[in-house]
């Protein structure tokens, strides 16, 4: 079975602080895909990043960076110099091998990030 | 603009009534999904469809029904059999990538409240 654990339920930081959101996953698939989504107060889930299991390169996009480590089954997300607009709920998600069709996403329970001015 | 449109944004249902949530996408995606989100919880899959006229149950399909008569449309009916329907409902669609699997894109969601 596939499982995603986001142990941090809520995090509160002051603007300009760096913050890391943790994500640990479980899967028996040899090929799988990891995702991060942002859910602002408006409700819509915004896609941030995807990573496949055979690409362990870390990625940086502006103030966002992602650290994927298969050895620890983790896919952590860091926001550098956080801003108030980063306040949202962040979800980590996992999907298994694609076998000629769609595979459903398994979501963690999310981490609510509050950035205070 | 391309995207996923859900309506209505807010819906109130009386106990015993069926209600239908609309979901339309113009992204030409083959697969569509319905997720339910409860406060403080992650998303749980209700139904998904890979092609027209075909759909599969997700993890919490009881009390819900769907149809997929057109590629761009995937309405969800919340029936009176759903005992606790008050939640936030998210429709999604996806394109299939051999490199990245199925990247799922979401609509803005619909709030359903039982009164």
């Amino acid at each position: 079975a596939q499982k995603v654990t986001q142990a941090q339920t809520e995090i509160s930081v002051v603007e300009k602080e760096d913050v890391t959101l943790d994500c640990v996953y479980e899967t028996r698939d040899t090929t799988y895909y990891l995702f991060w989504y942002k859910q602002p107060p408006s409700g819509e889930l915004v896609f941030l990043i995807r990573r496949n299991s055979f690409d362990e390169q870390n990625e940086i996009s502006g103030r966002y960076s992602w650290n994927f480590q298969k050895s620890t089954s983790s896919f952590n997300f860091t926001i550098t110099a956080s801003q108030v607009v980063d306040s949202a709920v962040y979800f980590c998600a996992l999907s298994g091998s694609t076998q000629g069709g769609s595979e459903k996403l398994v979501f963690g329970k999310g981490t609510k990030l509050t950035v205070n001015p | 603009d391309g995207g996923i449109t859900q309506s209505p944004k807010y819906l109130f249902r009386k106990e015993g009534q069926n209600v239908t949530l609309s979901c339309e996408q113009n992204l030409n995606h083959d697969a569509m999904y319905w997720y339910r989100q409860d406060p403080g919880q992650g998303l749980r899959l209700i139904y998904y469809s890979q092609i027209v006229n075909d759909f599969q149950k997700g993890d919490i399909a009881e009390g819900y029904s769907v149809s997929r008569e057109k590629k761009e449309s995937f309405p969800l009916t919340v029936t009176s059999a759903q005992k606790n329907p008050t939640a936030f409902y998210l429709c999604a669609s996806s394109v299939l990538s051999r490199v990245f699997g199925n990247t799922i894109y979401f609509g803005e969601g619909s709030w359903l409240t039982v009164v």
Side-chain angles (χ1 to χ4, degrees), chain A residues 7-104:
Chain A
Q8 304 151 309
T9 305
E10 294 191 38
I11 300 176
S12 182
V13 299
V14 177
E15 205 169 18
K16 297 185 182 179
E17 283 186 25
D18 297 347
V19 57
T20 295
L21 309 181
D22 297 332
C23 173
V24 175
Y25 63 91
E26 297 175 26
T27 181
R28 294 180 180 178
D29 290 333
T30 54
T31 300
Y32 53 90
Y33 308 90
L34 295 162
F35 304 81
W36 275 95
Y37 289 86
K38 174 182 180 179
Q39 187 176 41
S42 60
E44 179 181 4
L45 259 73
V46 178
F47 165 74
L48 296 177
I49 190 172
R50 60 183 174 236
R51 182 59 85 220
N52 58 46
S53 54
F54 44 88
D55 182 4
E56 286 193 71
Q57 285 190 344
N58 293 330
E59 182 159 337
I60 298 174
S61 176
R63 296 184 297 107
Y64 295 171
S65 63
W66 290 269
N67 181 7
F68 175 32
Q69 291 192 339
K70 290 181 72 173
S71 61
T72 56
S73 297
S74 64
F75 187 44
N76 296 337
F77 173 31
T78 297
I79 301 175
T80 302
S82 60
Q83 301 177 0
V84 173
V85 293
D86 294 327
S87 297
V89 180
Y90 291 87
F91 290 96
C92 181
L94 165 72
S95 70
S97 303
T98 302
Q99 299 171 345
S102 301
E103 287 292 327
K104 61 182 182 181

Side-chain angles (χ1 to χ4, degrees), chain A residues 33 35 37 39 42-45 47 50-52 54 91 95-96 98 100-110, chain B residues 9 31 33 35 37 40-43 45 48 50 59 88 90 94 96 98-108:
Chain A
Y33 308 90
F35 304 81
Y37 289 86
Q39 187 176 41
S42 60
E44 179 181 4
L45 259 73
F47 165 74
R50 60 183 174 236
R51 182 59 85 220
N52 58 46
F54 44 88
F91 290 96
S95 70
T98 302
S102 301
E103 287 292 327
K104 61 182 182 181
L105 281 177
V106 174
F107 283 84
K109 292 190 174 181
Chain B
K9 178 71 174 178
Y33 311 78
Y35 284 86
Q37 185 180 20
Q41 300 295 316
L43 280 70
L45 182 65
Y48 66 103
Q50 299 177 12
D59 299 319
F88 187 53
L90 284 153
S94 73
L96 190 61
R98 290 183 179 179
V99 176
F100 297 112
N102 55 327
T103 296
I104 295 182
Y105 298 92
F106 287 83
E108 293 185 348

Side-chain angles (χ1 to χ4, degrees), chain B:
Chain B
D1 290 338
I4 302 168
T5 302
Q6 290 186 236
S7 64
K9 178 71 174 178
Y10 300 96
L11 184 61
F12 297 90
R13 189 195 91 170
K14 293 182 179 180
E15 288 192 16
Q17 283 185 337
N18 294 351
V19 293
T20 297
L21 306 179
S22 170
C23 179
E24 303 278 332
Q25 56 99 0
N26 60 4
L27 302 169
N28 199 34
H29 287 171
D30 289 312
M32 296 188 72
Y33 311 78
W34 275 104
Y35 284 86
R36 169 179 171 146
Q37 185 180 20
D38 294 284
Q41 300 295 316
L43 280 70
R44 292 181 291 169
L45 182 65
I46 304 172
Y47 270 99
Y48 66 103
S49 168
Q50 299 177 12
I51 58 173
V52 174
N53 293 322
D54 186 48
F55 47 83
Q56 287 78 41
K57 292 182 179 180
D59 299 319
I60 55 167
E62 185 176 353
Y64 299 96
S65 66
V66 293
S67 62
R68 187 86 186 276
E69 297 177 1
K70 299 185 295 183
K71 184 177 183 179
E72 60 270 22
S73 179
F74 192 41
L76 173 73
T77 296
V78 185
T79 74
S80 58
Q82 171 49 237
K83 298 306 178 185
N84 186 23
T86 296
F88 187 53
Y89 292 88
L90 284 153
C91 179
S93 67
S94 73
V95 62
L96 190 61
S97 165
R98 290 183 179 179
V99 176
F100 297 112
N102 55 327
T103 296
I104 295 182
Y105 298 92
F106 287 83
E108 293 185 348
S110 295
W111 289 96
L112 173 62
T113 303
V114 174
V115 297

